[in-house]
Amino acid sequence: MFTVAGGWDMVEKRHSVDAAELLRLSRDRQVSFRFPLALDQRLDALMDRAVASGERTTRAELLQALILDCVSEGTELGDMLRRLRTSSNGDAVLDRDVPRDNVLQFSEHKPGPRTGSA
């Protein structure tokens, strides 16, 4: 380890942020995980709703807002996890009825950023 200006060592600096700094300006971390297709489509539907209400946002910012506003009580988180684990694809979709053949068709997207369709 070596010390940088201000007396911080490099490890401490990489894993520290100013508590008063705005989240949108703060150092970030790349997160990569897989989503069930129906939840990915739900995120797109939530994006469409945000854009329709006048917001200029991204999927990443919307996920950040949902995490920030999420419950933080352990029992409530447990309830949410159990609901996720027992939910079907049909439970995840917004503004759509499950068709008689019980097969949900979703629109395809090219890789890359999506900022809403409105």
Side-chain angles (χ1 to χ4, degrees):
M1 257 176 278
F2 56 92
T3 303
V4 294
W8 295 50
D9 65 52
M10 278 305 288
V11 172
E12 185 177 328
K13 184 147 179 72
R14 281 189 309 209
H15 297 284
S16 302
V17 293
D18 180 342
E21 182 178 33
L22 293 175
L23 282 170
R24 65 185 174 82
L25 302 175
S26 184
R27 185 177 305 116
D28 64 6
R29 179 176 179 182
Q30 179 69 37
V31 178
S32 179
F33 50 87
R34 300 181 70 81
F35 249 47
L37 184 58
L39 287 180
D40 182 65
Q41 295 293 319
R42 183 183 181 99
L43 182 57
D44 285 346
L46 292 171
M47 277 291 300
D48 290 344
R49 289 177 180 196
V51 169
S53 73
E55 293 297 324
R56 291 189 50 157
T57 191
T58 63
R59 289 164 50 99
E61 185 180 50
L62 180 55
L63 281 170
Q64 293 167 27
L66 292 169
I67 291 169
L68 181 64
D69 201 38
C70 182
V71 299
S72 59
E73 200 56 45
T75 56
E76 291 178 76
L77 290 168
D79 290 344
M80 289 171 56
L81 287 166
R82 284 185 290 283
R83 179 172 176 239
L84 172 70
R85 292 172 186 149
T86 59
S87 291
S88 69
N89 287 315
D91 294 330
V93 296
L94 296 178
D95 305 328
R96 161 188 305 212
D97 293 323
V98 176
R100 289 179 193 256
D101 64 2
N102 210 34
V103 175
L104 298 167
Q105 296 291 331
F106 298 120
S107 54
E108 291 186 42
H109 297 284
K110 293 180 181 178
R114 284 177 257 166
T115 56
S117 61

